[in-house]
Amino acid sequence: MATITTSLTNSEYRAVKAYSKSDLDLISKSPALLEWSKNAPSDGSDSVDLGTHLHCALLEPDVFAAEYIEAPKFDLRTKAGKEQKEAFESACSGKIVLDNATWQTVINMRDSALAHPVARELLTQPGQSEASIFWELDGLKLKARPDRIIDAEHFGFHALLDVKKSKDIDTFH
């Protein structure tokens, strides 16, 4: 029997000692890849960060509204502008501060996804976003963290959504 919880952060989920689909994919190629992936430095790229921000804006709009803030534009060529930026960021302690360009990109991506009729229907149905699922199969502890689980009332069964971003929808597979 599976256990579903919505109370774990992504970091807490990743710390649970169980295998995810990504882990099993690595093992199927080479068990050494799993060990490497656990010890390799994380990507931390702008693209990864943008995906994280989009996931929050799209799947957890209340969290996005509470935890994110758009920074005003500062003239960083001047001492006053640098001081204003520092004061703003200091006043936003605990919030995720996005510069104006990144903020607009996230909002535009969210709005674009929600403008698509099928995506909007799936993303706005009752369900749980960023829930963690744990189960055991033949003594093997397994876990999953779908982006969204749509409640069974809509389709007659639960549907799992995985949100992906792409620079070019025509080349997305």
Side-chain angles (χ1 to χ4, degrees):
M1 172 143 248
T3 302
I4 299 175
T5 180
T6 57
S7 62
L8 294 180
T9 65
N10 192 43
S11 298
E12 292 167 333
Y13 163 78
R14 293 196 180 284
V16 172
K17 294 196 183 303
Y19 294 103
S20 68
K21 182 194 178 299
S22 298
D23 294 337
L24 297 175
D25 287 344
L26 290 172
I27 291 169
S28 75
K29 292 177 186 174
S30 169
L33 288 175
L34 178 62
E35 186 64 24
W36 166 80
S37 75
K38 300 294 183 197
N39 296 310
S42 79
D43 186 336
S45 70
D46 290 342
S47 180
V48 170
D49 289 345
L50 185 61
T52 299
H53 305 323
L54 174 62
H55 266 73
C56 190
L58 194 57
L59 298 165
E60 301 175 294
D62 294 343
V63 173
F64 187 80
E67 295 183 6
Y68 282 77
I69 190 163
E70 177 185 9
K73 292 183 181 179
F74 299 104
D75 185 353
L76 299 179
R77 298 171 297 172
T78 67
K79 181 179 178 186
K82 291 175 186 171
E83 289 172 351
Q84 291 168 345
K85 180 182 181 203
E86 187 176 311
F88 176 80
E89 288 175 348
S90 182
C92 296
S93 178
K95 298 246 184 193
I96 298 168
V97 178
L98 300 180
D99 62 68
N100 177 264
T102 303
W103 178 273
Q104 286 305 312
T105 298
V106 170
I107 298 304
N108 290 343
M109 291 170 73
R110 178 202 64 196
D111 292 350
S112 176
L114 292 173
H116 189 281
V118 175
R120 182 180 58 251
E121 181 181 357
L122 293 172
L123 290 165
T124 59
Q125 289 299 316
Q128 300 171 327
S129 294
E130 306 295 349
S132 301
I133 306 170
F134 302 96
W135 72 102
E136 195 169 314
L137 180 65
D138 296 331
L140 191 62
K141 292 182 179 182
L142 301 166
K143 64 182 180 179
R145 191 170 171 97
D147 292 333
R148 185 149 181 81
I149 304 171
I150 297 175
D151 291 345
E153 293 80 36
H154 184 70
F155 296 114
F157 55 86
H158 291 287
L160 305 181
L161 299 183
D162 188 27
V163 173
K164 297 293 182 205
K165 65 179 180 56
S166 174
K167 285 185 179 182
D168 182 0
I169 192 67
D170 293 329
T171 61
F172 187 75
H173 300 283

